[in-house]
Amino acid sequence: MAGHTQNEITVAAPLDLVWDMTNDLERWPQLFSEYASVEVLEREGEKTTFRLTMHPDENGTVWSWVSEREPDRATRTVRARRVETGPFAHMDIHWAYEEVPAGTRMVWTQDFAMKPEAPVDDDWMTDNINKNSKVQMALIRDKIEKAAAGHRPAPALAD
């Protein structure tokens, strides 16, 4: 069996701003509440290999892994995968961005499988990713919308 999640949110901001903020890896610790640090290990063209380290969990465990991420602005998509898979047999991630009347729709899709010896199974991880993605997406939406408000021109004053 394998796990699959798909979560989406609409951000009331232009696609370029949403794209730029969500693909600025070095600033992820300020964008996501779960990441303590990002260390870029290698850049090759558009592909970046990097280490993500989370804040300690409720048991004091610090989780860290290496991923590859390759954005394609022309198709408004990002493909990523874990290189150091940890408890995952594999983890493949796809982000898609779409301009909509209310701003920018951002869709995160994750396909994965847990290793047999992992402390949790695919169903547990699916539920966990779905819950956490909603929290992170809402935080990101709020931060981007706040940034977008700072970029909007002041309303014209009536004479």
Side-chain angles (χ1 to χ4, degrees), residues 34 56 64-65 97 119 151:
E34 61 190 342
S64 181
W65 63 91
Y97 301 77
H151 289 97

Side-chain angles (χ1 to χ4, degrees), residues 87-150:
F88 294 91
H90 69 89
M91 167 62 86
D92 298 306
I93 302 167
H94 180 259
W95 284 13
Y97 301 77
E98 177 188 4
E99 286 183 286
V100 295
T104 303
R105 178 181 299 126
M106 191 170 55
V107 181
W108 294 353
T109 305
Q110 293 172 272
D111 290 296
F112 60 91
M114 303 307 296
K115 291 178 179 173
E117 66 273 16
V120 299
D121 63 14
D122 293 339
D123 290 339
W124 186 95
M125 188 55 73
T126 298
D127 185 55
N128 185 62
I129 290 172
N130 278 327
K131 285 180 194 170
N132 192 53
S133 291
K134 287 173 180 48
V135 169
Q136 295 304 314
M137 289 179 119
L139 287 170
I140 290 167
R141 176 201 59 214
D142 293 349
K143 289 175 183 179
I144 294 172
E145 288 178 355
K146 184 176 180 182

Side-chain angles (χ1 to χ4, degrees), residues 43-64:
R43 290 191 194 276
E44 181 182 319
E46 292 297 315
K47 183 168 62 174
T48 303
T49 303
F50 59 100
R51 175 171 295 283
L52 270 177
T53 302
M54 297 182 80
H55 293 289
D57 66 16
E58 63 278 355
N59 299 318
T61 303
V62 175
W63 298 94
S64 181

Side-chain angles (χ1 to χ4, degrees), residues 2 17-18 28 37 74 79 89 106 108 129:
L17 181 63
V18 175
W28 275 13
S37 66
R79 296 228 175 254
M106 191 170 55
W108 294 353
I129 290 172

